[in-house]
Structures are given as C-alpha cells and as structure tokens.
Amino acid sequence: MLSEQVYTRLRDAIMRGDHAPGAALKPQDLAREQGVSLAVVREALVRVVGDGLADRLPNRGFAVPAFSDRRWQEITEARRTIEPLVLRLSVERGDLDWEARVRAAHHRLSRTPPFEPGEGEHLSGAWSEAHRVFHRTLLDGCGNPVLLETFDRMWTASELARRWAARRAPGRDHLAEHRLLEETALARDADAAGEALTRHLTLTAAALTDES
C-alpha cells in the first residue's frame, strides 16, 4: 500500500536523523516531497506517532521529539527498574539452549559492523537488529511472555533515543559492554549481570543529557 511505503520512508528518515530533534514534520511539505496526497501523509504520521518517533502537537501539527524530552529519561528509568530483574530470572531459569542462543546472538552482534560505508554516523539497520536480538535473547530465558512483551514495548519506545545516543557518544565501547553482559549472564552471576545492564542503560541516557 502507498501509505505503508510513505510510513516506512518517514520512519527511516527520522531514524537516520534526516529530521533533527524537535524539527517540525509538516504534512504539506512531506506530501509534496513524496508526491502523495495529504491524507496518505497524515495516516503515515499518525503511525509514526504511535511508534514514539514523533509527537502530535495541539494546534501545531507534528514534530520529532526533542533531546530534552522527559520521556527518554522516563523510559530509561523503567528499563533500569524492570530489565535487570528480568535478566536475573533469565540467569536463574535459562537452560543450555538459552546459553547457546545468547552466545550465538552475541557472536552475531560482535561481528556486525555498527556503521555501513557511506552512511556516516548513522547506525546500520543490520546492527540495530542484531543489538535488539542480543538484548531480547538475554532476557528470554525468564520464560515469562508478559515480561518479554513489556521489554518489546520499551525497546520500541527507546529506539530513537538509542540512535541519537550512538551519534552523540561515538567513542563508547559497545563491544566491551556487550561482552560483559554475555560473560556475566553465562557465568550465572545475576548480580554482576544486573549491574552491567544497569550501567549499559545509564550510559545511553547520559549521552542525551550531555550538552557537549
């Protein structure tokens, strides 16, 4: 469908940083740029708002969320509260198959380049997916689908902040952070794994509050 194509292009453009934080998303301009009707663009914008990638402003149209938006810190607070507890359950309950899947997911993540040639500072789609799978796999040993659904919702809501944080903290050692998560989880050290995950999430939030 045409609306699906426009939605995908708009979502990808926001993720790439083509629309700056806080920038207005004007339906008329987007319709003209993409050669589609205003109705199609508005439908796409409503979906993007539902993904947490844009805001619908009363009497002011649509806009990309700002760096200073409180939601990013609220999402981080929720993740730091919930995910280490789910990881503890995963460490306690995960079986040998879970261990194998964690190793495989970490191997894929560590071998996937975070940036593609020609795309500059923008995280690649392949790395972003490998990143999601690794974090999801770490937690899915908990065996609780309700907790995993909560993780999925929070992950989607924080994806834009994660992309921005990567651009604002290019020197961060993601490889070491993820390796520590894998090692502590598979060593069945729930305390160390939880601490590593909390620090990992905190560094992402800190990149958005750093004014440098």
Side-chain angles (χ1 to χ4, degrees):
M1 293 177 59
L2 184 57
S3 60
E4 180 71 23
Q5 296 173 6
V6 173
Y7 158 73
T8 299
R9 288 197 293 265
L10 180 57
R11 184 180 189 279
D12 291 347
I14 294 172
M15 287 292 193
R16 287 195 308 268
D18 294 351
H19 301 283
L25 297 170
K26 300 179 181 179
Q28 296 88 343
D29 292 346
L30 293 171
R32 184 173 59 254
E33 291 167 5
Q34 301 205 28
V36 297
S37 69
L38 200 57
V40 169
V41 167
R42 287 190 178 278
E43 182 179 344
L45 282 166
V46 169
R47 290 187 62 186
V48 171
V49 169
D51 290 341
L53 302 179
D55 292 328
R56 189 166 193 169
L57 310 176
N59 303 318
R60 293 195 300 157
F62 301 86
V64 178
F67 279 136
S68 59
D69 196 313
R70 183 172 172 77
R71 84 180 69 182
W72 310 127
Q73 304 309 318
E74 291 173 341
I75 292 170
T76 299
E77 181 179 54
R79 294 187 66 192
R80 284 188 303 208
T81 300
I82 296 171
E83 289 182 33
L85 296 177
V86 181
L87 180 56
R88 174 177 290 277
L89 292 175
S90 202
V91 167
E92 294 172 352
R93 299 174 178 175
D95 56 15
L96 289 178
D97 179 63
W98 169 75
E99 290 186 6
R101 288 185 286 110
V102 169
R103 289 191 185 281
H106 179 259
H107 180 75
R108 177 187 175 196
L109 176 61
S110 66
R111 296 301 181 90
T112 303
F115 302 100
E116 294 288 351
E119 293 189 13
E121 61 188 0
H122 306 300
L123 287 172
S124 72
W127 187 90
S128 296
E129 177 60 10
H131 186 220
R132 184 195 67 80
V133 169
F134 172 67
H135 277 270
R136 181 59 150 73
T137 304
L138 275 175
L139 301 186
D140 70 14
C142 75
N144 186 320
V146 176
L147 289 173
L148 293 173
E149 288 170 6
T150 300
F151 164 80
D152 291 338
R153 289 194 298 272
M154 291 191 298
W155 185 273
T156 298
S158 62
E159 179 64 17
L160 185 56
R162 194 160 35 249
R163 300 285 183 107
W164 286 345
R167 294 170 60 191
R168 289 165 65 89
R172 185 174 167 188
D173 194 347
H174 289 278
L175 283 173
E177 292 177 40
H178 291 127
R179 184 169 57 250
L180 181 60
L181 282 168
E182 181 210 24
E183 291 173 351
T184 53
L186 296 185
R188 304 291 177 156
D189 189 337
D191 289 336
E195 291 172 4
L197 181 54
T198 298
R199 176 170 173 75
H200 184 64
L201 297 173
T202 298
L203 287 173
T204 298
L208 294 183
T209 58
D210 182 4
E211 296 300 329
S212 61

